[in-house]
């Protein structure tokens, strides 16, 4: 028989669980800074490069969306 007097373990990594949202914010901030810097450099290069970059970005977003939908089901 099982020993019911023992309580179940609810959180093995309590500290990591508390820090996880903080690290997600830090990583997100670094990604945001990198994107803003790259957009600034791209904008200084001129409109033709901006158009190409927007088309490539739109294609990448569409591909990621399709892959996400295919892997979800």
């Amino acid at each position: 028989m099982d020993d019911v007097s023992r309580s179940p373990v609810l959180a093995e990594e309590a500290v990591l669980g508390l820090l996880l949202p903080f690290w997600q914010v830090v990583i997100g901030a670094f990604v945001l800074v990198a994107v803003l810097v790259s957009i600034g450099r791209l904008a200084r290069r001129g409109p033709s490069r901006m158009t190409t970059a927007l088309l490539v970005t739109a294609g990448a977003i569409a591909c990621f969306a399709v892959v996400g939908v295919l892997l979800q089901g």
Side-chain angles (χ1 to χ4, degrees):
M1 290 259 145
D2 291 335
D3 188 7
V4 267
S5 64
R6 289 189 293 164
S7 62
V9 176
L10 298 177
E12 292 180 2
E13 297 287 335
V15 175
L16 185 60
L18 291 172
L19 291 177
L20 185 62
F22 172 73
W23 286 113
Q24 288 174 345
V25 170
V26 170
I27 292 169
F30 278 119
V31 169
L32 182 64
V33 167
V35 167
L36 291 176
V37 167
S38 65
I39 287 173
R41 290 184 66 198
L42 190 60
R44 286 192 301 266
R45 287 186 173 186
S48 64
R49 297 231 183 193
M50 283 294 288
T51 303
T52 304
L54 288 174
L55 289 174
V56 169
T57 303
I61 290 170
C63 288
F64 281 131
V66 168
V67 168
V69 168
L70 291 176
L71 292 178
Q72 184 181 16

